[in-house]
Amino acid sequence: MAARRERLAGRREALGFTQESFAREIGVELSTVGRWERGTQDPQPWMRPKIAQALEVSTDELAALLSGDASPSTGAGDVPDLFSPEIAEHVRRSQEEWLRVRRAPGARGRELAELAAWLYPASQRAPGGHVLTGPDWLLDRPAELDSVRLTFSDAQNPVPRLEPVDHVLPLTARGERYADYSRAVRDLVRPRLLENRLSYRLLEVSQRGGLALTFGTTTFFEVFDIKECLAHEFKAAWLASGGAVPDWSALPLRSAISDPFNPNRLVMSPGISTLTIRKDQRGGHRFMMHQRDGRAVADGGGMCTLMPSGEFQPSSLAAVDLHNDFSLWRNIMREYSEEFLGNPEHDGAGASSIDYAQQEPFRSLDQARADGRFRLWHYGLVMDALTLGASQRTVAVVDDEVFDRLFTGLVATNDEGRVVGEGGRTDMPFTGEAIDRLEPRLSASSLTLLRLAWRDRRHLLGT
């Protein structure tokens, strides 16, 4: 009778995998993993390196797990017991502390972002002081979206290395330090949505002759890892200080960046967030708001943000889309399709391109804009002070009839959270009173954009 491989199953469980999720990770059937762990079948030799990588062990250590040996011998000597009580306890404490800091009270609200803003001079804060903004980043008045000049650069700009990072990374189940924050989030937090994708990297901002933005390429994880390491460092220092604004000496990563607005010092991929206003003929204008689900997203969970909002990135893996999708409007349209209508996400992982001229809802969105019934403005860029994550702030004003026709199938929930409404509706009144009442629930960057739009409402609404 075959002996059950308890140590193999234990290793899988220690890394947070179920049999089903482990099967997906390495690309086999669920029943295959079951046979391996029951000892009725051995993995094929060509599969073993992939299994070892997923289990974060060497191939020799995997062989020991498969054989049931407690301390396999290799040419380099005995391999340590991966499940010794000492290592397991050290790992447990490391991961618990990392999660404690990440989930610190106030960490999901605006409190820490606004405290982090106090580290920077008033000249680097946007109106209201909730977020940061760099030289030439924010416009005095919104510009029409088409007036923003985009330039794509094929230059291979080096990625600045962020060091040291050991103090913001936990230990793996093997007792070694995680190499990346994103991998730790995947293993220990396990959000539903966390994928590495090609994104557009900000290289330059200028207001010479109007707002002009230059982009190259980066990846989602390159930017995510930096933002989350910076946020984690601040949270840990904030907890250690008893809730005070940390001293710069406690923030070595942030200090090493020095100038957060210099794209040569900090990799940035500014996503696009759009305040969508339904312009009512009778004056009862309303806007859309979204509450992010902390179980689904890796950052910003629990906060309310304007919608739609998304990364600035190509829609597919096709090389042509790197340039075909290098458009603010096309990215905004894709987010309307996903967040408003619940359509599958064009997440950069597919291989087919979008025919914007023929496919719905893009054709109808384009037509409404060409008819002057769907108008867009750009306010420039702001930066979240906690993560130093940059974002673009835009506003869309849609005539009520057109809004109701385009978004007849408006969904109440989507992959990232749910729509927040008032009085049984799926939208909020665009009034100063409503903005004041919603302020505690809004992310810092969403609140900033709402305040700017309210200030400029006559210009935006054409009243």
Side-chain angles (χ1 to χ4, degrees), residues 173-352:
R174 192 177 179 184
E176 299 171 344
R177 189 73 57 185
Y178 269 96
D180 304 295
Y181 201 98
S182 51
R183 181 61 186 256
V185 170
R186 193 201 73 170
D187 291 350
L188 305 181
V189 181
R190 296 183 221 165
R192 291 198 303 270
L193 302 174
L194 184 65
E195 298 177 24
N196 201 16
R197 304 166 185 166
L198 187 67
S199 299
Y200 296 111
R201 175 185 174 183
L202 182 68
L203 300 178
E204 186 180 3
V205 182
S206 170
Q207 284 196 40
R208 293 187 297 272
L211 184 61
L213 307 174
T214 302
F215 290 88
T217 58
T218 183
T219 66
F220 177 80
F221 279 1
E222 277 184 345
V223 179
F224 178 84
D225 284 338
I226 293 171
K227 293 194 303 183
E228 294 302 308
C229 283
L230 289 167
H232 197 102
E233 178 184 73
F234 186 93
K235 293 172 189 176
W238 171 72
L239 287 169
S241 69
V245 178
D247 187 80
W248 277 100
S249 62
L251 306 171
L253 294 178
R254 192 175 293 259
S255 299
I257 290 170
S258 62
D259 180 5
F261 309 110
N262 182 350
N264 294 318
R265 299 289 300 165
L266 179 67
V267 178
M268 294 176 268
S269 179
I272 308 170
S273 291
T274 303
L275 164 61
T276 304
I277 301 174
R278 179 184 180 275
K279 182 181 178 181
D280 192 284
Q281 296 180 35
R282 294 167 294 184
H285 316 305
R286 303 182 73 87
F287 72 95
M288 304 296 296
M289 196 168 76
H290 183 251
Q291 181 162 330
R292 291 168 66 79
D293 183 353
R295 297 166 300 179
V297 296
D299 59 349
M303 290 302 297
C304 286
T305 61
L306 301 174
M307 63 183 296
S309 182
E311 301 298 321
F312 186 30
Q313 57 191 194
S315 63
S316 83
L317 297 174
V320 67
D321 284 331
L322 181 62
H323 296 281
N324 190 46
D325 291 327
F326 185 55
S327 158
L328 302 176
W329 171 230
R330 288 185 172 181
N331 272 254
I332 291 171
M333 279 199 293
R334 296 204 308 269
E335 294 302 325
Y336 276 115
S337 174
E338 296 156 14
E339 294 189 20
F340 278 54
L341 300 176
N343 292 324
E345 187 171 359
H346 301 283
D347 58 8
S352 60

Side-chain angles (χ1 to χ4, degrees), residues 27 46 49 69 89 131 162 220 255 257 273 311 315 318-319 401 436:
W46 59 269
D69 291 344
E89 178 61 18
V131 293
L162 192 68
F220 177 80
S255 299
I257 290 170
S273 291
E311 301 298 321
S315 63
E401 295 176 11
D436 289 341

